[in-house]
Amino acid sequence: MRDQGPVRVALTGANGGYGRTLLAQLQRTPELIPTALVDPDVEGIRRTLGELGGDARFAVATTGDEFREAVADGGIALLRDAAALDWSEVDVLVEGTGQVRVGTAYAEEALANGTHVVMVSKEVDTVSGVALAAKAEAAGLRYLPGDGDQPANLLRMVDWISAVGLDIVAIGKSGEYDLVFDPATGTVEHAGVTIEAPGLAELLDLGAEPRSTLSRRAELVAGLKRAAAADLCEMTVVAMRTGAAPDAEGLHYPVARIAELADVYAAHEDGGILRRDGVVDVFSALRLPGEASFAGGVFAVVRTGDPVTWEMLRAKGHVISRDGKYACLYWPYHAMGVETPLTIHAAASGTGSSPRPRPTTLLAARAVTALEPGTPFRVTGHHHEIDGVSPVMVAPDAAIAPYYLLGDAQLRRSVGAGELVRLDDLEHLAPEPLAAYTAGTSAPSVRRGPTPGAGE
């Protein structure tokens, strides 16, 4: 790839953790030039560039002339927003704001100006992705999920597994943080929180009744917040591009060790947790101190077929179910912006592709308690969650509001506990993502079912 270039990149949301990992990597890929770095915290970008070192020139730009002057001869323009950005100086936009309103607007502006889009903001993708992908296709441009985050990695895995002809039963990822059980202290540490759970010492093996063991493990770690909106958001991105669907609207989140995944994600009649094929899910990785982490990586559980082949693979260390019917293939990593140069190259060269998103699954909001008119919604925290509602993956319905469309909106009428929030329940909706979502819901859908290419 080194002979391709230069490729001029605009990065929005440049001052976040993801932005830093990408900027650090772009120092090692000189054919990719970070022409425009967009973030309200321009001083934060400046500090990051200073910490990363290097000899790149950069300057704050507030007008088009200042932008063009800053980027002349390979310089970098720092912008609080994209108002002064001259899109003729940009080949690929990497959208990383994580904010549906501004992220949708940035992506639409890029596509309108002939710029490819690498979509890192999964929140944007679940609301506006169908419409944005259609616009890109109509303009002969690329709209790709960014390598380095789980959706793109999992889609790559699915493509590879389908190409070799394996029959996919389930696909998914681990939660962002492992459950680290220390037998010496009887405690479990998860995302910086430690609880007492000595009973896990007796549950480190699935035993004769796997579902019973999984249930007991879940009870012991019930005090930990294992589910996250970010997980369901990422799996919605995958579901929209594969036709896979959740087995439970909030996902299963089994507490499982890596070596157990082929037994856990087996059919119910084979002792596993699945009621159907073509499932997308998230598990909580259970491990001991010093054992390798799943690192928020991705997996696919497949049917094995020829028993001799897979017994040979079991002997080589592959994860095969105890009955030999299932195997788990996995990539124990997601390297954030370290991998995204792959997608930038693919977009700029025209060689990259990703299944076009379809409105097959909706990330919706279910009220945790009764909500009164006037209730405001805000997306907050590391996992981009919204107080008062739980994210759920449901069948598409044009009347139901996407979870992340609630951000900065408020209720115009009451919503009962357990009810899904509908579009008609809301006011002050951001116009750009609302229009994109509405356009996307009229796009042709595909049935919810087994992952395409998975033995169909």
Side-chain angles (χ1 to χ4, degrees):
M1 294 182 183
R2 294 278 174 172
D3 58 351
Q4 175 197 312
V7 178
R8 301 164 300 173
V9 179
L11 170 61
T12 52
N15 198 42
Y18 173 86
R20 183 186 180 108
T21 62
L22 177 55
L23 288 174
Q25 202 60 25
L26 291 181
Q27 292 193 323
R28 300 173 178 273
T29 53
E31 73 281 8
L32 304 179
I33 302 172
T35 297
L37 304 180
V38 183
D39 197 289
D41 185 4
V42 168
E43 290 307 313
I45 305 176
R46 193 195 300 271
R47 286 193 300 272
T48 297
L49 291 173
E51 291 169 3
L52 291 173
D55 56 3
R57 295 181 297 102
F58 52 86
V60 176
T62 59
T63 68
D65 287 342
E66 289 178 348
F67 176 85
R68 285 181 285 275
E69 182 179 350
V71 304
D73 301 320
I76 302 173
L78 313 184
L79 305 102
R80 289 181 171 82
D81 57 43
L85 198 158
D86 181 347
W87 289 99
S88 69
E89 300 285 348
V90 176
D91 302 304
V92 178
L93 165 67
V94 178
E95 206 313 289
T97 64
Q99 301 175 30
V100 171
R101 181 182 61 80
V102 294
T104 299
Y106 287 154
E108 288 186 332
E109 191 173 357
L111 294 172
N113 285 277
T115 300
H116 304 287
V117 174
V118 172
M119 182 55 68
V120 175
S121 297
K122 51 191 176 288
E123 302 86 352
V124 173
D125 210 32
T126 60
V127 176
S128 308
V130 174
L132 291 172
K135 287 185 177 183
E137 186 175 278
L141 298 168
R142 300 288 175 176
Y143 176 83
L144 303 173
D147 284 301
D149 263 358
Q150 291 96 332
N153 290 7
L154 187 51
L155 290 167
R156 267 195 291 140
M157 173 176 268
V158 168
D159 184 58
W160 173 74
I161 289 175
S162 298
V164 301
L166 292 171
D167 183 12
I168 296 177
V169 177
I171 56 177
K173 51 162 270 186
S174 74
E176 207 76 6
Y177 303 100
D178 295 344
L179 297 167
V180 183
F181 174 63
D182 187 347
T185 62
T187 59
V188 173
E189 189 274 334
H190 175 264
V193 177
T194 301
I195 64 170
E196 302 285 335
L200 279 177
E202 301 175 358
L203 299 171
L204 294 177
D205 184 86
L206 276 179
E209 298 182 357
R211 290 195 298 272
S212 175
T213 299
L214 294 174
S215 178
R216 293 168 63 195
R217 287 175 180 171
E219 291 173 0
L220 289 171
V221 298
L224 297 170
K225 185 185 183 302
R226 297 185 290 116
D231 293 336
L232 281 88
C233 185
E234 289 171 341
M235 293 303 95
T236 299
V237 171
V238 172
M240 291 169 63
R241 286 172 168 79
T242 61
D247 207 30
E249 67 172 29
L251 305 182
H252 285 296
Y253 280 97
V255 177
R257 308 194 73 185
I258 297 172
E260 301 168 347
L261 291 175
D263 290 287
V264 171
Y265 287 104
H268 208 263
E269 58 268 27
D270 293 324
I273 64 174
L274 300 183
R275 296 288 188 178
R276 52 182 297 280
D277 275 2
V279 167
V280 63
D281 201 54
V282 175
F283 80 100
S284 296
L286 174 63
R287 65 177 176 88
L288 302 180
E291 289 184 339
S293 170
F294 206 80
V298 298
F299 72 89
V301 171
V302 301
R303 287 193 173 83
T304 52
D306 176 49
V308 175
T309 295
W310 289 93
E311 286 305 315
M312 282 193 291
L313 292 174
R314 187 201 298 275
K316 294 179 180 293
H318 285 270
V319 175
I320 315 296
S321 63
R322 292 178 295 188
D323 63 9
K325 294 182 179 181
Y326 304 88
C328 178
L329 303 172
Y330 61 96
W331 295 344
Y333 66 89
H334 79 293
M336 300 178 67
V338 174
E339 284 190 274
T340 309
L342 294 172
T343 328
I344 297 171
H345 276 295
S349 67
T351 59
S353 64
S354 177
R356 181 171 159 182
R358 307 280 185 181
T360 60
T361 295
L362 174 65
L363 183 66
R366 192 176 293 284
V368 176
T369 61
L371 302 173
E372 297 300 320
T375 299
F377 296 111
R378 298 290 183 269
V379 179
T380 61
H382 175 67
H383 290 298
H384 289 193
E385 297 184 316
I386 303 173
D387 287 343
V389 293
S390 293
V392 291
M393 294 173 66
V394 299
D397 183 334
I400 302 301
Y403 182 81
Y404 282 109
L405 197 55
L406 272 64
D408 297 325
Q410 70 179 38
L411 285 180
R412 56 187 292 268
R413 58 189 182 198
S414 61
V415 174
E419 292 182 359
L420 292 173
V421 179
R422 303 169 66 86
L423 286 173
D424 288 347
D425 297 329
L426 299 166
E427 58 186 359
H428 307 314
L429 289 162
E432 296 92 345
L434 175 60
Y437 173 66
T438 302
T441 57
S442 63
S445 184
V446 297
R447 64 182 177 85
R448 288 162 59 103
T451 306
E456 293 190 330

